[in-house]
Amino acid sequence: MIDVLLNLKLLFFVVFFFIFFALEFFYNQRNTERKFSRLLFHGTFAIFNTIIMRIPSLFLLLPILLITNENKFGLLNILNQNFLVESILGFLLLDFSFYWFHRLNHVNNFLWRFHKVHHLDTQMDVTTSLRFHFGELIISSLYKSVLILLFGIPIVLFIFYEILLSLSAQFHHSDIRLQDKADHYLSKIIVTPKYHTNHHTVALTSRNANYASILTIWDYMFFSQKEADPKDREYLGTQDREKQFGFITNLKEPFTDN
Ligand SMILES: [Zn+2]
Ligand SMILES: [Zn+2]
């Protein structure tokens, strides 16, 4: 059954990625340049990361999921509620925890070294959602394992959350223009492309804010929702403008001293 779910995750990932990629040609807000070389560059990240992440998936996440569910470890198992309540609660706990993980990635110097690679991109489109240093992904696997054990996350819920998380990441990184009104209301609930653009500005006030992954409620709850100046939203990335491309340069980035 896990096999079916994981294949479903891959299917959703690939199909929606190319739907967003195609939509960007018709409804873009920034007219991102060099789209195909960006696809190639960030696609290299995706392939490289998929291969490396097989190891923590097979030897850490899957065993932890199985052990937790077989032995009924964790908060949700203690509470022993019906399927619906358990799923909603589990979903909220995961999204809340991912909010804090992302926030920690920005305030902790060690974690920022890895997460910075995502922010070195001076533009932002759906391909940016593929751009993560494998170090960050490995650390996030360790974090996820702790969450699964602590909260007693069911296998189906975990994979469902992962699917939604990757679709949300594709959507909010995509260079798609929503109508202002639609964006205004939607961003009160979920992260929209404009909302996440605030997080990719060079300007620190909005970059060190807007951390939500799926639900924006956490930013409102913990006072980290900050609308960027429209001018700032046009200047994305970090002060470091030279390192956005170059695969090896990006892999080495966390281990350099500047
Ligand atoms: Zn970030
Ligand atoms: Zn991002």
Side-chain angles (χ1 to χ4, degrees):
M1 158 144 117
I2 292 183
D3 270 8
V4 178
L5 290 171
L6 290 176
N7 285 333
L8 198 69
K9 183 182 159 193
L10 184 68
L11 183 75
F12 269 104
F13 184 85
V14 175
V15 169
F16 277 91
F17 180 88
F18 284 104
I19 289 177
F20 288 124
F21 189 75
L23 285 174
E24 286 177 341
F25 285 92
F26 304 103
Y27 302 105
N28 62 67
Q29 52 178 335
R30 286 183 294 271
N31 198 8
T32 311
E33 288 165 0
R34 301 173 65 190
K35 284 195 69 70
F36 284 96
S37 52
R38 289 174 56 76
L39 177 64
L40 201 71
F41 181 66
H42 291 141
T44 311
F45 264 93
I47 292 166
F48 182 79
N49 287 342
T50 307
I51 296 169
I52 287 201
M53 293 311 289
R54 296 280 297 172
I55 300 167
S57 292
L58 283 175
F59 297 105
L60 183 69
L61 279 175
L62 277 178
I64 293 276
L65 268 172
L66 292 172
I67 291 169
T68 304
N69 281 275
E70 238 164 63
N71 296 288
K72 304 226 168 294
F73 289 146
L75 181 70
L76 292 178
N77 286 308
I78 295 170
L79 294 177
N80 198 18
Q81 296 292 320
N82 66 49
F83 177 75
L84 187 70
V85 175
E86 185 177 89
S87 303
I88 294 172
L89 201 57
F91 182 91
L92 291 173
L93 284 169
L94 284 174
D95 207 46
F96 164 82
S97 308
F98 275 86
Y99 163 85
W100 280 105
F101 181 65
H102 188 191
R103 191 161 171 169
L104 211 61
N105 270 282
H106 279 260
V107 295
N108 176 279
N109 282 337
F110 175 75
L111 294 177
W112 171 246
R113 282 173 174 267
F114 295 95
H115 186 58
K116 184 184 173 194
V117 171
H118 177 65
H119 283 269
L120 283 177
D121 199 353
T122 63
Q123 301 186 84
M124 191 177 94
D125 66 2
V126 66
T127 72
T128 312
S129 69
L130 306 174
R131 182 193 184 102
F132 285 98
H133 194 281
F134 71 90
E136 177 179 344
L137 299 182
I138 290 175
I139 296 167
S140 120
S141 287
L142 292 170
Y143 184 69
K144 284 175 191 172
S145 309
V146 175
L147 297 180
I148 293 166
L149 265 172
L150 211 63
F151 298 142
I153 304 290
I155 298 173
V156 180
L157 176 65
F158 182 73
I159 297 178
F160 175 73
Y161 182 80
E162 290 254 289
I163 291 176
L164 272 190
L165 184 66
S166 70
L167 295 194
S168 171
Q170 289 177 354
F171 171 62
H172 65 237
H173 284 99
S174 65
D175 179 13
I176 287 176
R177 182 177 188 85
L178 299 180
Q179 280 183 335
D180 284 346
K181 219 174 181 177
D183 186 278
H184 176 78
Y185 289 115
L186 207 57
S187 65
K188 296 276 179 269
I189 306 164
I190 59 163
V191 183
T192 62
K194 188 178 166 196
Y195 189 97
H196 197 66
T197 308
N198 292 328
H199 180 66
H200 274 258
T201 56
V202 175
L204 281 175
T205 324
S206 43
R207 193 217 288 163
N208 285 340
N210 310 300
Y211 298 113
S213 306
I214 299 179
L215 300 173
T216 52
I217 140 186
W218 315 117
D219 275 319
Y220 292 107
M221 202 179 262
F222 301 107
F223 310 106
S224 55
Q225 195 279 324
K226 301 229 165 70
E227 182 89 10
D229 195 90
K231 259 216 170 82
D232 287 339
R233 256 200 307 269
E234 283 166 26
Y235 191 51
L236 305 181
T238 64
Q239 294 289 8
D240 199 341
R241 318 299 289 169
E242 307 299 319
K243 289 184 183 155
Q244 61 169 328
F245 296 121
F247 189 59
I248 302 297
T249 314
N250 274 268
L251 286 190
K252 288 200 299 204
E253 177 59 24
F255 313 103
T256 56
D257 263 333
N258 46 45

